[in-house]
Amino acid sequence: MSWDGSEDGQNQIRLKRVTDNVVVGEDTRLHEASKRSLCLIVDLFCRGCHSVLGMVYASTPKNLDHKRFTFCLNVADIDSYVLGSASQMLAAEGPKEQPVTLEYRGNVEQQLTEMKMLVMSMAQRLEEIDAGLQDGCDVA
């Protein structure tokens, strides 16, 4: 039930769930899946020997969305797999969670920049109004 697919060219399998023996790293890094496909990934480690077993794609271009938030394990690095032993799944599989794509992140950053400029403009205008009111009080 954990099977999600395979990548023969990369010698990888994709699983929706893995055992607790697979540890998801904490640091994201850029990975170039192809010439025009930059992704953010997190490495997967073996709890016992600490070797790298594969990766989780945290952010992908649209053509690699099928890989996002699945456990991509390198076949050469897996010694065994016991059917029905998977218990760990990624938070993005939850019903309310939405994965963050690079495009989405760019849109959010643009909106935040526009909001910051608007707030700064409003603050400057408020200062001008306040200064005008204080000038009016000085005359009276």
Side-chain angles (χ1 to χ4, degrees):
M1 298 300 292
S2 296
W3 183 261
D4 190 59
S6 66
E7 302 294 327
D8 293 333
Q10 296 175 335
N11 204 23
Q12 284 185 337
I13 60 170
R14 287 190 321 273
L15 302 174
K16 295 176 192 171
R17 296 173 185 246
V18 293
T19 68
D20 291 333
N21 292 329
V22 177
V23 177
V24 179
E26 294 182 13
D27 299 324
T28 56
R29 62 183 174 92
L30 279 176
H31 172 72
E32 190 170 0
S34 64
K35 285 184 178 184
R36 301 169 105 193
S37 298
L38 278 177
C39 306
L40 288 175
I41 64 164
V42 178
D43 288 321
L44 298 173
F45 299 95
C46 172
R47 184 176 302 282
C49 68
H50 306 290
S51 63
V52 177
L53 299 175
M55 64 188 78
V56 172
Y57 288 82
S59 182
T60 60
K62 288 187 186 281
N63 65 322
L64 296 176
D65 279 354
H66 64 283
K67 290 185 175 188
R68 192 179 320 129
F69 293 112
T70 59
F71 296 93
C72 298
L73 300 170
N74 303 323
V75 173
D77 296 322
I78 301 171
D79 288 335
S80 65
Y81 181 79
V82 179
L83 290 175
S85 64
S87 60
Q88 179 182 188
M89 72 179 192
L90 296 168
E93 287 187 356
K96 296 180 182 177
E97 302 254 353
Q98 288 280 342
V100 177
T101 63
L102 288 174
E103 294 87 357
Y104 177 78
R105 181 179 171 185
N107 288 340
V108 169
E109 287 177 351
Q110 180 182 355
Q111 289 175 356
L112 286 173
T113 300
E114 290 172 2
M115 289 172 55
K116 181 180 176 183
M117 291 175 64
L118 179 63
V119 168
M120 290 173 59
S121 173
M122 290 173 64
Q124 182 180 2
R125 181 68 180 133
L126 189 58
E127 285 178 15
E128 292 170 0
I129 292 171
D130 188 43
L133 288 174
Q134 286 181 5
D135 288 344
C137 290
D138 291 341
V139 174

